[in-house]
Amino acid sequence: MATAAVAGTGFIGPVHVEALRRAGVSVRGILGASPEESRRAADALGLAIAYGSYEDVLRDTAVDSVHLATPNKLHLSMATAALEAGKHVVCEKPLAMTSAETAQLVTLAQRHPQQAAAVNYNIRFYPLIHHARDLVQSGEIGQVYSVRGGYIQDWLLYDTDWNWRLLPEEGGDLRAIGDIGTHWMDLIHFITGLRAEQLVADLGILIPIRKMPRKAVATFKGKEQHAEPVEYDPVKIRTEDWGSVLFRYASGARGAMSVSQATAGRKNRLDFEIAGSKSTLAWNSERPNELWVGHRDRPNEIVMKDPSLMSEGGRAIAGQPGGHAEGFSDTFKQLFRTFYDYIAAGNFNAPRPYPTFEDGHQEAVLCERILASQREGRWVEVQS
Ligand code: SOE
């Protein structure tokens, strides 16, 4: 099995470390924003090496793969350097800041066919999502007529909530759409194969001025720190808290997505409803072990995550028997297992079973078209 190194010590880097270990991949070390931060994280996670620099990671011949859990603006240079150093790469989403950058990475990955390059669209790896995909692909729900849903959070509800993603220079011009809407769009594509041909968007900045704490706050941690006295500077916000997008797909199907990072009580909820000519599928990430199947002429059903009740695809990525809930961290484990099994099999001509750089590029294109629609106030075409 390959050996990995992880770059990034914020919210998601440690999730990678834990999931890699559970997938049977050994993790050699971690890189933080400073040598002290690398040391702190290595100690906390029980890792042998606290890297002093990214060059040290890439020079480490014992490392086969690099996981990038760093801020978005670093993805292009770090993924490029990793591929050029001969490493496999798992990059957090979004793959890069613009579609010009993601296109560059797609070309580079194609020039390194013996290396695996994935974008961490982890939500695909809930067992019931693979099951839903198999149901749609086998024609079980009929022709897909429409999709709707979204991704809703509350961690940026207050004007005192702060994160680097709020700044376009750090996270990209689109925030809620880029950070969470892309998960939804990727998922719908993964399950149904639908590609948007046209879209129209309406984006909103609900909290126009936010208070930036003078001390950095880790993702989601602001919610736990409101009791402490903090010094703030006011900042004018230029990225959206809210977004709605309508899609017209090539097949004639229609779609509607809403995203928000300022909806009290919705902690981290992706939901979809995929309506076909025979039945409808509905799922949400706060109850990920249940898939609702709606019928017109007989009672509706709820499929529980249970290997004995799911399709082959769902079964393959279920880690526990029915009744034993699986969640967010398990999706990382299953995505990484799929990625590393692919590498171990050594047949790089086989179709890639994980979200690829092409998928990351597709999302970057969609984000730019959404921004264009918002700026121009009209329906726009989507070309990849
Ligand atoms: C923050 O909004 C975030 O961590 C996203 O970046 C992730 O993709 C999502 O899984 C949870 O929320």
Side-chain angles (χ1 to χ4, degrees):
M1 206 29 122
T3 296
V6 174
T9 58
F11 162 57
I12 219 70
V15 178
H16 280 245
V17 173
E18 186 205 303
L20 280 162
R21 285 169 159 164
R22 291 173 61 218
V25 180
S26 85
V27 187
R28 195 159 148 83
I30 192 158
L31 174 73
S34 65
E36 299 72 45
E37 181 52 21
S38 300
R39 172 50 51 211
R40 187 206 57 74
D43 290 347
L45 296 162
L47 292 169
I49 299 183
Y51 289 104
S53 69
Y54 190 47
E55 290 66 43
D56 289 349
V57 177
L58 299 184
R59 267 197 298 264
D60 188 342
T61 50
V63 167
D64 304 298
S65 59
V66 178
H67 286 236
L68 300 176
T70 48
N72 306 348
K73 67 173 180 184
L74 301 175
H75 292 176
L76 173 67
S77 60
M78 293 181 87
T80 302
L83 284 172
E84 285 174 347
K87 314 285 188 199
H88 306 288
V89 185
V90 176
C91 185
E92 263 304 330
K93 34 63 55 180
L95 178 56
M97 299 285 274
T98 64
S99 67
E101 290 185 1
T102 53
Q104 227 175 289
L105 286 171
V106 168
T107 308
L108 190 66
Q110 283 162 355
R111 275 199 232 119
H112 292 262
Q114 301 299 309
Q115 288 160 250
V119 186
N120 192 35
Y121 283 114
N122 64 296
I123 300 173
R124 292 185 183 193
F125 284 79
Y126 282 103
L128 282 171
I129 295 297
H130 271 56
H131 177 68
R133 178 183 206 238
D134 289 344
L135 290 180
V136 174
Q137 304 293 330
S138 65
E140 197 74 22
I141 73 161
Q143 183 192 336
V144 176
Y145 283 157
S146 63
V147 295
R148 53 163 291 279
Y151 200 151
I152 313 286
Q153 302 174 323
D154 73 0
W155 68 293
L156 294 174
L157 175 65
Y158 298 143
D159 66 355
T160 48
D161 290 324
W162 188 262
N163 185 261
W164 56 263
R165 289 175 178 77
L166 290 156
L167 298 172
E169 307 75 49
E170 303 281 322
D173 287 334
L174 286 175
R175 186 202 343 138
I177 295 281
D179 190 40
I180 51 180
T182 50
H183 271 303
W184 190 89
M185 294 186 290
D186 176 73
L187 204 59
I188 295 303
H189 173 65
F190 176 70
I191 296 172
T192 66
L194 292 175
R195 280 260 183 248
E197 276 199 329
Q198 295 172 319
L199 60 83
V200 65
D202 177 42
L203 311 181
I205 297 172
L206 309 174
I207 302 151
I209 307 281
R210 286 183 184 259
K211 297 174 182 158
M212 181 173 75
R214 295 202 176 139
K215 206 167 134 254
V217 187
T219 302
F220 284 107
K221 282 287 175 198
K223 287 171 78 174
E224 295 158 28
Q225 285 167 4
H226 280 293
E228 293 171 22
V230 181
E231 282 192 286
Y232 298 102
D233 292 312
V235 172
K236 187 171 181 309
I237 296 301
R238 289 167 290 148
T239 53
E240 80 289 355
D241 299 297
W242 165 272
S244 285
V245 186
L246 301 181
F247 301 96
R248 289 178 184 151
Y249 298 100
S251 65
R254 294 295 196 267
M257 167 185 86
S258 288
V259 299
S260 165
Q261 292 178 315
T263 298
R266 293 296 189 202
K267 304 302 168 195
N268 189 48
R269 186 180 202 269
L270 182 153
D271 79 305
F272 64 72
E273 204 162 271
I274 299 173
S277 53
K278 297 189 205 159
S279 328
T280 299
L281 301 179
W283 178 90
N284 86 73
S285 61
E286 291 188 337
R287 300 183 71 96
N289 294 288
E290 294 171 18
L291 178 73
W292 181 88
V293 189
H295 305 289
R296 196 168 87 160
D297 302 324
R298 59 190 165 96
N300 302 330
E301 303 163 66
I302 294 195
V303 181
M304 298 289 288
K305 183 229 65 164
D306 182 333
S308 71
L309 300 175
M310 290 188 297
S311 66
E312 211 183 310
R315 216 165 23 243
I317 61 159
Q320 311 289 344
H324 299 76
E326 291 179 57
F328 181 73
S329 320
D330 298 286
T331 61
F332 286 65
K333 181 183 80 178
Q334 297 298 350
L335 191 157
F336 298 166
R337 182 170 283 162
T338 304
F339 182 79
Y340 286 97
D341 282 353
Y342 181 82
I343 293 170
N347 176 9
F348 291 96
N349 292 324
R352 314 236 162 187
Y354 49 80
T356 60
F357 278 14
E358 280 84 358
D359 295 317
H361 174 64
Q362 192 59 40
E363 293 309 312
V365 169
L366 282 165
C367 283
E368 283 170 9
R369 299 316 291 153
I370 287 171
L371 197 58
S373 166
Q374 163 75 9
R375 287 185 177 151
E376 294 164 25
R378 63 177 182 89
W379 282 88
V380 295
E381 304 289 321
V382 183
Q383 310 90 8
S384 49

